[in-house]
Amino acid sequence: MDATLGQLVEQVRGATQARTPLRIRAGGSKDFYGNPSRGQILDPRPWQGIEAYDPSELVVTARAGTRLAELEAVLAAQGQMLAFEPPHFGPDATVGGCVAAGLAGPRRASAGYTHGGLRDFLLGARLLDGRGQLLRFGGTVMKNVAGYDVARVLAGSLGVLGLLVDVSLKVLPLPRAEVTLRFELGEAQALERLCDWQGRPLPVSGSAWCQGALTVRLSGAEAALAAARGRLGGEAIAAADASAFWQDLREHQLEWFAGELPLWRLAVPPQAPPLALVGAQLIEWGGGQRWLRSAQAPARIREEAARLGGHATLFRGGDRAGGVFSPLNPALLAIHRRLKQAFDPAGIFNPDRLVQGL
Amino acid sequence: MESAVVESRPEVLAALARILPREALLVEAEDTRPYECDGLTLIRQRPMAVALPQTEAQVVAVLRLCHRLGVPVVPRGAGTGLAGSALPDAGGVLLSMARFNRILAVDRRACTATVEPGVRNLAISEAAAPQGLYYAPDPSSQVACTIGGNVAENSGGVHCLKYGLTLHNVLRVRGYTVDGEAVEFGSLAPDAAGLDLLALVVGSEGMLAVTMEVTVRLVPRPELARCIMASFADVAQAGDAVAALIAAGIIPAGLEMLDQAASRLVEPFAHAGYDLEAAAVLLCESDGTPEEVEEEIAHMSQVLRAAQATRIQVSRDEAERLKFWAGRKNAFPAAGRAAPAYYCTDGTIPRKHIGQMLKSIQAMERRYGLSCPNVFHAGDGNLHPLVLFDDSDPDSVARAEAFGAEILEESVRLGGTVTGEHGVGMEKLNQMCSQFDRPTLDAFAAVKRAFDPAGTLNPGKVIPSLHRCAEYGRQRVVGGALPHPELPRF
């Protein structure tokens, strides 16, 4: 075994023996996210680099400690991208942290084949479990139904099942062209419009409503964009401004995200009506992701998300001691506990981070 | 097993008879025989009983009863699976979900359909058609296979390079764990709290939970689709053309290959107009708005010409496009006419090894004395070699089995997987020993226990025992020469 990887294995085995909690942390760009955790730092950054990348296979395999920015630069040089457009939240974000957080950017709710979140593009992963074993799930091919799809469960697992070692991600060609349109619309009208567009063959690859303006990105062949523009109307935004807008949205650098009020993320069915909550809102993903700046009681916000068929996460700030994610029902919680026990019997990895008490 | 008591057969049947109406419980051999296998017909086993519940309450009652008595339960949809995932357990209950065949809702605003598990794949698209929507995954068996089975197998189809597998198109599964506890995986929202258990349940071959209701994502039907049929003088060149299309930034709606033997096999049957002199035929489809399709077809044609295509024909209308596909879609029935039996596996390999793989298969044809036309989902490297054999001749059967197994071993060796879309079931238990090491197989077993601690939901599938892997390892050491060729090993 490679010496660098060997050291990580040793650290995990030692921690399991001593039952010492480990807090997996690389660049620290997502320290703010999830429940408060504890433990000795386990830093995978020495294990970095791209293991395999053949653009015509549409797959890249990278070590967990690889900087996300480096990976994206390598893909862009070949005219390809991570189609879930993950937020970095800092220059030191790593591939492992990106997968463990499971977050996606504006392109998550694209029409057509770029549709999907991080797990939809995760083809395989190697995991260092609590016994210090290296387990390889999935693979590097698009279609693979051999065994349970454990790799995809690691997306968004916040490291509670083990340390991600390498991941294989499906990549896609960069769009041939893009155009961004803006419409002056109120919240309800914007949601209605987005719903209608979703059911039509339109190349929408991003949407954001806030402060009375709906911004929509289209991606695809030149001819398709021209045809779609004709149908949609709206005011086209200059390419440089548009590119800055989507980048700032993805990284939460828009002016809207500044300030001290707690930031909530509500994931709801896209067609859900406007939220009956007090606070400023930014709506993405065709209505499916609603950012809310609000000082309202967490219980009230969770109740509203549940009423609409979704869930609410205290994304940044606020009082995090009470748990930032919507609680699981007993049947699902029991399965979570048994999975945790199976992969991390000593309970050393990122205690509480995803589910309090787990 | 936990505290379950294994009761005798008469006691179990009497208990089932108390919770199911007479017509919903089959126990006589002549009645249970139609359920003794799924699409993998070489392995058969009659269950103790077949339950055909008509209400959700009956499903729960059957699960609770079987859990209490320690009786295995094997769920089944239409029985079209090709890997034996729905093979009954001799001492268990086969739970047919076929009667739950209602489409509960098609929501134009949400672009979703909510259906019962026994609804046929194609029926969803038919119900959504008036809204201009459809359900994208289209396995060859879509006329017959059910969505519950699709969820169990994570079914693919000819359009999944662009539109994804079942996993990418299912939002939510509501069902029951083996003890009759209600569970819901996924959500109508873009994600759900906690671990993504939906990703585990999809493709779990009915071993983690029983599906009661499924919500799928619907997508707008493209305004236009056109297909290119391209001929190549060499299979390796056709393989390279596939890589060239992807490298050019194109994601075709469908990208399928037939080798010469396959074209010659299907042409008399389907009259698709295939070039029978070509070593390989590629079918390459574009869909979208008319403007988009025109631009993409021109781009694809240019790449295919540069990749040494000897002939290029673009479908002029919908009838011609369907004719091009008719050959590909009828490959299995054509194989069924050409030989007494055929054996289809579905290993997936990195695209760049397609040419090499086809050459390896040609060498195996000579070694095993059996012919093997190849059709496959070239876009995602998913092979469907059709080993033609005589099922009345035990020696032919043994050679076909060894041939299929060697193709799967070669798929693993080339960095691929033993199954791209058909599943492991009973069929590929041996090859799982080659693809995964013991700690990973043990992790699969632990995942199974997390959902089903007693191990009574569809037991014995997917995860090979330590003993089986040891036995398979010894067989392979002998060098492919099977110790008892007279024994069927499917």
Side-chain angles (χ1 to χ4, degrees), chain A residues 98-357:
Chain A
C98 163
V99 172
L103 301 172
R107 214 178 287 278
R108 161 74 173 84
S110 292
Y113 67 89
T114 50
H115 182 97
L118 189 145
R119 71 92 125 125
D120 295 296
F121 293 89
L122 186 59
L123 300 178
R126 205 149 57 117
L127 182 77
L128 176 56
D129 75 1
R131 295 181 178 83
Q133 304 181 111
L134 287 166
L135 307 174
R136 190 186 292 278
F137 299 107
T140 60
V141 289
M142 300 291 141
K143 285 165 92 176
N144 184 358
V145 293
Y148 305 131
D149 211 345
V150 178
R152 297 191 202 264
V153 182
L154 302 175
S157 66
L158 289 177
V160 299
L161 300 181
L163 177 72
L164 282 162
V165 175
D166 328 291
V167 297
S168 294
L169 292 160
K170 178 180 177 179
V171 300
L172 283 176
L174 286 165
R176 288 163 73 82
E178 296 203 311
V179 63
T180 292
L181 305 173
R182 192 160 286 162
F183 304 80
E184 301 298 320
L185 288 172
E187 182 189 2
Q189 289 170 296
L191 285 170
E192 197 52 47
R193 196 74 68 90
L194 287 166
C195 237
D196 178 57
W197 289 342
Q198 197 198 344
R200 298 180 193 282
L202 291 164
V204 174
S205 66
S207 61
W209 177 88
C210 74
Q211 294 157 339
L214 174 64
T215 310
V216 175
R217 180 174 60 187
L218 307 174
S219 304
E222 295 276 5
L225 298 193
R229 271 193 72 180
R231 281 186 230 183
L232 295 179
E235 174 207 348
I237 308 292
D241 295 343
S243 164
F245 173 82
W246 295 110
Q247 177 64 18
D248 289 348
L249 173 62
R250 173 181 177 178
E251 297 299 338
H252 288 192
Q253 296 295 316
L254 287 179
E255 186 59 37
W256 189 89
F257 288 97
E260 293 305 311
L261 273 179
L263 175 66
W264 286 85
R265 171 185 184 269
L266 284 82
V268 296
Q271 77 281 8
L275 306 178
L277 292 170
V278 179
Q281 262 193 89
L282 188 151
I283 301 175
E284 279 194 273
W285 298 0
Q289 176 167 263
R290 303 190 190 186
W291 299 103
L292 175 73
R293 306 303 298 262
S294 176
Q296 263 191 291
R300 171 70 197 104
I301 293 172
R302 292 226 157 83
E303 180 191 46
E304 175 66 357
R307 183 183 73 86
L308 297 173
H311 63 104
T313 303
L314 180 53
F315 198 80
R316 269 183 210 267
D319 174 13
R320 308 182 76 76
V324 304
F325 298 109
S326 285
L328 300 169
N329 72 37
L332 291 186
L333 186 59
I335 296 172
H336 277 69
R337 287 195 194 291
R338 289 193 291 260
L339 283 173
K340 173 74 171 175
Q341 174 68 26
F343 285 91
D344 179 18
I348 56 166
F349 290 114
N350 287 3
D352 302 328
R353 187 108 190 233
L354 181 72
V355 178
Q356 286 186 314

Side-chain angles (χ1 to χ4, degrees), chain B residues 356-357 360 364 405-414:
Chain B
Q356 186 187 341
M357 184 65 164
S360 299
M364 292 179 215
E406 191 172 340
I407 294 172
L408 297 184
E409 292 293 341
E410 181 71 358
S411 302
V412 173
R413 206 183 60 75
L414 292 173

Side-chain angles (χ1 to χ4, degrees), chain B residues 381-411:
Chain B
N382 187 197
L383 313 157
H384 288 323
L386 299 163
V387 178
L388 308 181
F389 69 103
D390 181 354
D391 56 353
S392 67
D393 170 7
D395 179 59
S396 180
V397 171
R399 279 182 286 133
E401 193 250 7
F403 194 153
E406 191 172 340
I407 294 172
L408 297 184
E409 292 293 341
E410 181 71 358
S411 302

Side-chain angles (χ1 to χ4, degrees), chain B residues 285-366:
Chain B
E285 185 153 288
S286 170
D287 66 11
T289 61
E291 303 86 359
E292 218 173 338
V293 171
E294 190 186 350
E295 189 176 316
E296 195 168 69
I297 287 282
H299 192 191
M300 287 169 168
S301 304
Q302 184 196 344
V303 174
L304 290 168
R305 270 193 211 94
Q308 317 284 319
T310 54
R311 193 177 122 187
I312 284 185
Q313 200 180 332
V314 184
S315 63
R316 282 161 298 187
D317 52 33
E318 188 61 8
E320 192 169 58
R321 183 183 77 88
L322 295 176
K323 201 178 79 164
F324 285 2
W325 281 109
R328 168 63 187 89
K329 293 210 167 184
N330 282 299
F332 289 21
R337 285 198 344 167
Y342 68 90
Y343 179 40
C344 171
T345 57
D346 81 315
T348 301
I349 56 170
R351 277 180 289 261
K352 63 186 167 205
H353 298 313
I354 287 173
Q356 186 187 341
M357 184 65 164
L358 290 176
K359 296 220 150 78
S360 299
I361 290 175
Q362 282 168 2
M364 292 179 215
E365 286 183 298
R366 292 189 291 275

Side-chain angles (χ1 to χ4, degrees), chain B residues 228-250:
Chain B
I228 301 176
M229 181 163 72
S231 307
F232 290 86
D234 181 88
V235 288
Q237 280 175 353
D240 292 344
V242 170
L245 284 164
I246 307 287
I250 301 169

